[in-house]
Amino acid sequence: DAGVTQSPTHLIKTRGQQVTLRCSPKSGHDTVSWYQQALGQGPQFIFQYYEEEERQRGNFPDRFSGHQFPNYSSELNVNALLLGDSALYLCASSLAVGQGTEAFFGQGTRLTVV
Amino acid sequence: DQQVKQNSPSLSVQEGRISILNCDYTNSMFDYFLWYKKYPAEGPTFLISISSIKDKNEDGRFTVFLNKSAKHLSLHIVPSQPGDSAVYFCAASEYRGSTLGRLYFGRGTQLTVWP
């Protein structure tokens, strides 16, 4: 059973460019969340998708947008990249039913903006 | 505003001894708490969780204790093993209906278990 998979694993972009990161959730999971982890910090919530709609959003600018597809996979798009967007981007999947659900994380995409 | 705090950035413990990692939170609406372990170049790995209706949850060598009145939780690892050396993150969430909502993370505690 494949866990959460993210692509690519590493990416280098130039300031001002746009980037798209991809995530496939754990089999059977229908909810995908995205987090940004800066060096030395805990992951910060960007947004969560369920049933192809953004359900919750953290304190991130509109340059950060996302999408969820009918097969539950998801994309994170970041426009007009800034140097400060350099971070590890984590995708987490969970199941939108029942108590005791956990969020499982992928290995992350390391984005470097130069 | 950091709603989940891990005030110890690092902890060093001898193999076989108990490791105790602490976490405090400020939001009384949090009703579900999780611990994750993270190795370098990997995503966080789920360890153990606890609902606010409980005060203890145990899974093998890992036990999480929740003190709601003090808004404090702790993770106990007994016995500690060198392979436990990693960064440990505490996370908290509010359930929205039956769905696990956004997770609020602490900054992590680097645990080092030495032989």
Side-chain angles (χ1 to χ4, degrees), chain A residues 53-106:
Chain A
E53 292 191 358
E54 184 181 286
R55 167 177 284 215
Q56 282 185 275
R57 188 178 182 90
N59 189 26
F60 279 79
D62 292 344
R63 299 186 296 109
F64 290 76
S65 64
H67 189 77
Q68 185 180 35
F69 299 94
N71 67 352
Y72 307 127
S73 67
S74 177
E75 289 182 349
L76 163 66
N77 301 290
V78 186
N79 294 322
L81 284 166
L82 303 174
L83 297 179
D85 295 331
S86 296
L88 180 67
Y89 288 84
L90 295 163
C91 171
S93 74
S94 56
L95 191 58
V97 290
Q99 291 280 333
T101 52
E102 299 86 23
F104 292 88
F105 284 83

Side-chain angles (χ1 to χ4, degrees), chain A residues 15-63:
Chain A
R15 191 172 41 183
Q17 285 188 314
Q18 178 265 344
V19 67
T20 298
L21 310 182
R22 295 177 175 82
C23 172
S24 292
K26 181 178 169 64
S27 179
H29 282 186
D30 54 12
T31 302
V32 173
S33 302
W34 287 92
Y35 292 82
Q36 179 195 68
Q37 186 179 16
L39 206 59
Q41 305 291 320
Q44 297 292 314
F45 177 78
I46 303 175
F47 39 55
Q48 183 182 81
Y49 277 84
Y50 172 64
E51 291 189 337
E52 302 179 49
E53 292 191 358
E54 184 181 286
R55 167 177 284 215
Q56 282 185 275
R57 188 178 182 90
N59 189 26
F60 279 79
D62 292 344
R63 299 186 296 109

Side-chain angles (χ1 to χ4, degrees), chain B residues 53-66:
Chain B
I53 62 174
K54 297 183 176 181
D55 55 17
K56 176 183 175 181
N57 189 27
E58 196 169 353
D59 184 1
R61 297 187 297 114
F62 301 92
T63 303
V64 56
F65 296 92
L66 175 62

Side-chain angles (χ1 to χ4, degrees), chain B residues 65-78:
Chain B
F65 296 92
L66 175 62
N67 183 334
K68 284 183 62 179
S69 61
K71 294 190 178 67
H72 177 83
L73 64 155
S74 60
L75 174 68
H76 293 211
I77 306 174
V78 183

